[in-house]
Amino acid sequence: MAMRFFSTRDRPVHLGPFPLERLARGRMPDLTAVPPFQPLTFSRPDLPGSIINAMGDYQAMMDAIRDGLVNKAQAGCPEDPQVRADHIKAFGYFADAAMVGIGPVPQSAHLQQPYRNPDIDRLAHDLKTKQTKTLASGIDMIMADLRDAMQAPPSGIGGHTRAITFLYEMPRDPHPSEDGCDWLHDAEHHRACLRASETAVVLANYIRLLGWDAKAHTGTSADVDLNQLAVAAGLATVKGSRLQNPYLGDRFGLAVVTTDFDLAMDRPLAPDDQQPGLSTKGPKWWLGLGSERSALNGDPFAARDFKDGPHPFETLKRVETPTTYIDEARVARVPKRADMFARSQFGDMGKANQKAATGGLYARKAAPSMAQRRMLGAFVLLQDGEPARGPRPTDSERNAANVKAASYWLGIDAVGISRCPDWTWYSHDATGAPIVPDHDQAISMIVDQGFDTTEGTSGDDWIAVAQSMRAYLRFSLLGGVIARQIRNLGYKAKAHTVMDGEVLQPPLLLLSGLGEVSRIGEVILNPFLGPRLKSGVVTTDMPLAHDKPIDFGLQSFCESCNKCARECPSGAITAGPKLMFNGYEIWKSDSQKCTTYRITTPGGAMCGRCMKTCPWNLEGIFAEKPFRWAAMNLPKAAPALAKLDDALGNGEMNLAKKWWWDLELEEDGGYRPTRHPVNARGLQKDLDLKYEDQTLAVYPAPLAPHPWPYPFPMDREAGIEAYQAMVTAEEYQSRRARGETGAWDHIYSNDADSPVLQVIVSKVEEMSADVTKYEFRSPDGSDLPEWTAGAHLDIVVAPEFLRQYSMSGDPADRSKYQIGVLREDAGRGGSKLLHRIFTEGRRIFISKPINHFPLEEGAAKSFLMGGGIGVTPMIAMAHRLHALGRPFELHYSISDREAAGYLPDLAQAPWADRVHVHVSKEGGNVPNDVEKRFGRRCGFHGYAA
Ligand code: SF4
Ligand code: SF4
């Protein structure tokens, strides 16, 4: 990024990077004279190598979700329209809009013929029918919500009175012979449209979550004229046949949110010839005084090729191997199931973690991140796919240049390319199936989490989770487009996102030269972005030239600084040395403590305080250059620099940058001011944290769980012992050389049988309004394991919902299993979610049949008493007794016939004559006490449920 001379630490976020406040405002012009917006199409069949084709599905997916259901529980947010407008604009700038304006929705802006992206229907079908294969928390709920929204009738915008317009600037045109620009020609309108659409769709969703109606309008699907609304919102004037922005000319794209949320409006711009040139484009603008953007730092690529990125990566020292030791031959591959968020969901880490992870509550509890997660979930459907019959370009240098230029052009902050060795892949996927790596190239990408919001936050308050999600979402979109582009060229490619990834990203970031290992642990620190980043990786088999690892002196710096460890609210970061974990040398943090704190803290949503307080979290202004130079070149200066950073108060909260509301999700689904004290905290400069006072735990390969989607409790005592057994890289290498083994040697093995079976939901039959019968078959049609009457199945509805259901079929029939499920709307959510997502064809996991309720087959007579859904195990028992020719009676007790699901089934059973139905509304006598009703008789057995 081009250098800035003046800090904008005092500039409120809602003002944005450009000095819009200096522009003169005027009266509303005649909007009917505004040239109409020309919709875009994202298809270039004549240019199969154009990146526009790769953007198409992502644009369509955003169009598919531009609308949705409004939260019935309205938020407790401020009522002042100006406060609301500032907040919404700040959210837009947080999402990287260049400019945001708010205006009315004049009648003239309503399109007589709304335009609609023709690709929506195909993707909407995928959304309705495709099943994701991921352990991401809450993904099933996101997919179910998306399906519901797809089925809702399209909404009108008749009641919308405000239009929020997001303006995204275009990058410069590629130079005619610029390396790396093979895919980018004539695509800048589409790129601006894509980026603006991301923001508009997220913000529309946010406003609906707050409880007001809102709909996004993009360059490919809209009910309104975007140009008229940009003029009405004070972002552009008309010059000839085009719109003109005072700072960007005509190089911008637009997207809009219309809403009934009352917001203060901006006034339209005065005509160009009435703008006060001295204040709008005078010395302040040229020097960048008071605004982030200036005449001199407008375009980071003005004097750089796109392939080289916005930062001077070419100045970094490159080395042959990473600055931390990796025992490549012995890196322990572990299953996806070892991820701490997955373990929280399955209950491995206790009830509190499981509750906090249920349905992704830790992200849902804050409205901004909830607004982002919907799109994140939808993009999972696009991140992988089959390669097209493309040209398969083989020039690895040229391919690498094209990948890098396109990634930077789209908006990725740093890209590095490396090999993708097998040891960087997880051993098993989310279903427990072994992963066979079939891509050997990795494109690692990092996304800045944004300086301004990082300044305002404590790191663990109510915006922390949205900072992460914003960066994850950006990678999902842009990394996803790059993966699709590579598939369009004929190679395999997958974007590994936060929702669904199969590689470990930190080692790939090291190999590709995007950073070094930091004391924070799994966080790789980049010299230009510090630790303020999130990463993503695209793996592929396309030949690519590689980057080398970098050495910018971080190992010495972190050895002399433990600010992150001192500031970590959970005490998860080690104040001690780097140690060997699973074959990597790392400052190993206590991930159990970190994850537990992040998902359960009541004073905020998630945490990134380590990232926020690190001295490498820099604004990017000229005055910081000496720090960066000294930190990179003078290892001995590290202790002094770390102290100086404290003395300057870096890492404190800057309230000028606090733009978000501290709202928390309540029971009724509404977002209201949190009742908990907010994690607003200052630096703990006086704390002298000592390694010997810390109790840390780790879960290396020998303590990793089995690979299957089923609980595996965590043993913290064993984790503490494992931490104490870890050794330094030097010690590790000398023990290896001596041929020793021991607890320090981390090897993953799993020879246990799977506790779960994968089956297909083969039949879904609604028995009554609340009861549905489900049948499951094996995927290959083979017989299922034997079972006995009275058995139940543990059903993995979702990782956080393991539910037991009695088997209700005939034990002699091994072609299928059968259960009946009563939807309990007031329950903990398992049966409700099951009813929503268990559709025919879905692949699910179940335990093998377990029987804690066995049938005594030799009884003189058996009485099977089932009340409501409790009849299900009695049906299995009746089948068995009938097959054995034993005497029995089945008593089915129900409140009324309408609500009873099993009457038709019982009537058709070969033993229907043994069934007695008791309807309480009809005065039926409910035989709930077997002994009282039938008497105690020798050899009689009774069963009640
Ligand atoms: Fe927060 Fe975890 Fe970082 Fe500690 S290690 S500051 S808990 S994110
Ligand atoms: Fe390293 Fe200090 Fe940053 Fe921690 S806070 S990552 S020790 S530089």
Side-chain angles (χ1 to χ4, degrees), residues 553-603:
L554 187 68
Q555 302 312 295
S556 306
F557 198 100
C558 285
E559 262 154 28
S560 307
C561 166
N562 74 355
K563 191 172 177 185
C564 51
R566 187 190 77 193
E567 295 301 328
C568 170
S570 73
I573 300 177
T574 175
K578 283 179 281 190
L579 298 167
M580 289 298 292
F581 175 83
N582 282 356
Y584 304 100
E585 183 188 17
I586 184 173
W587 274 286
K588 187 67 190 98
S589 60
D590 185 332
S591 310
Q592 182 182 13
K593 275 188 180 175
C594 170
T595 307
T596 301
Y597 180 78
R598 289 165 83 192
I599 68 175
T600 62
T601 179

Side-chain angles (χ1 to χ4, degrees), residues 536-549:
V537 170
V538 174
T539 58
T540 177
D541 60 351
M542 182 164 84
L544 291 165
H546 296 167
D547 298 297
K548 286 184 176 175

Side-chain angles (χ1 to χ4, degrees), residues 872-925:
T872 48
M874 307 307 164
I875 296 173
M877 289 181 173
H879 278 300
R880 178 63 182 160
L881 292 168
H882 178 72
L884 292 170
R886 309 296 303 178
F888 71 93
E889 291 178 19
L890 189 152
H891 293 263
Y892 182 29
S893 304
I894 50 177
S895 56
D896 66 82
R897 287 178 190 273
E898 291 253 300
Y902 281 89
L903 288 175
D905 274 25
L906 295 175
Q908 284 166 22
W911 32 264
D913 55 334
R914 320 274 184 94
V915 175
H916 306 264
V917 178
H918 310 271
V919 186
S920 56
K921 276 197 180 158
E922 296 171 10
N925 192 1

Side-chain angles (χ1 to χ4, degrees), residues 450-516:
F451 180 79
D452 271 6
T453 300
T454 306
E455 267 283 281
T457 178
S458 64
D460 58 339
D461 52 21
W462 288 92
I463 197 61
V465 61
Q467 284 187 278
S468 301
M469 291 300 150
R470 167 193 163 280
Y472 285 135
L473 178 58
R474 186 68 40 78
F475 169 77
S476 294
L477 172 60
L478 306 186
V481 168
I482 294 294
R484 179 57 191 263
Q485 172 69 9
I486 295 172
R487 294 199 296 273
N488 284 354
L489 296 174
Y491 289 104
K492 294 184 211 165
K494 170 176 172 157
H496 298 259
T497 67
V498 67
M499 292 296 219
D500 185 8
E502 293 182 343
V503 289
L504 281 166
Q505 298 186 7
L508 292 169
L509 265 63
L510 294 180
L511 292 180
S512 64
L514 287 183
E516 289 188 58

Side-chain angles (χ1 to χ4, degrees), residues 159-204:
H160 293 188
T161 57
R162 297 289 181 270
I164 310 154
T165 301
F166 302 98
L167 184 148
Y168 272 73
E169 61 194 306
M170 289 175 196
R172 67 166 168 78
D173 289 332
H175 302 309
S177 57
E178 186 175 341
D179 273 356
C181 295
D182 292 355
W183 309 335
L184 307 183
H185 293 281
D186 291 331
E188 54 274 0
H189 288 272
H190 297 79
R191 183 248 187 222
C193 170
L194 185 90
R195 295 290 308 273
S197 301
E198 176 205 332
T199 300
V201 173
V202 167
L203 263 289

